Amino acid sequence: MKIEGTQELHTPRERVYAALTDPQVLQRCIPGCESLEKTGDDSYAVTIKAGIGAIKGIFKGNVRLEDMRAPEHYRIVVDGKGGPGFVKVREISIWKIRAALR
């Protein structure tokens, strides 16, 4: 599954970056995320409800924020396993926050 997109927000990059590193906001940004609990600096335990075709279920794993360069960039790594056929999920997303051109 590939999720792509661009959003234009009329707010300072620092505020956007702070929001996207806030666990409550981050949980809402991960598709199917049912829970996100802090386990350490920039790492979380995650529960995701997802499905691809006939394989659907609840997946438990970890989220790590890496390569953090406030206020412009970080990488989010999600990995986990679920009951349906021992599916292993590994997602890497790079979030780039750019200043709006005026």
Side-chain angles (χ1 to χ4, degrees), residues 11-46:
T11 192
R13 289 189 316 167
E14 293 78 11
R15 186 170 177 198
V16 173
Y17 191 89
L20 291 176
T21 54
D22 178 299
Q24 292 179 344
V25 175
L26 185 58
Q27 179 177 348
R28 294 191 309 259
C29 294
I30 299 172
C33 186
E34 293 188 337
S35 70
L36 187 70
E37 297 176 18
K38 191 168 185 78
T39 58
D41 289 341
D42 305 321
S43 61
Y44 306 87
V46 67

Side-chain angles (χ1 to χ4, degrees), residues 13-23 26 38 40-44 63-77 92-97:
R13 289 189 316 167
E14 293 78 11
R15 186 170 177 198
V16 173
Y17 191 89
L20 291 176
T21 54
D22 178 299
L26 185 58
K38 191 168 185 78
D41 289 341
D42 305 321
S43 61
Y44 306 87
V63 171
R64 288 184 322 279
L65 305 183
E66 300 177 345
D67 194 22
M68 298 179 75
R69 291 179 292 196
E72 62 192 43
H73 169 95
Y74 74 83
R75 182 168 46 134
I76 179 172
V77 178
I92 299 177
S93 299
I94 298 174
W95 296 20
K96 296 179 182 174
I97 303 167

Side-chain angles (χ1 to χ4, degrees), residues 40-60:
D41 289 341
D42 305 321
S43 61
Y44 306 87
V46 67
T47 302
I48 297 174
K49 185 175 184 178
I52 300 173
I55 301 173
K56 295 180 173 116
I58 304 290
F59 301 89
K60 294 192 179 279

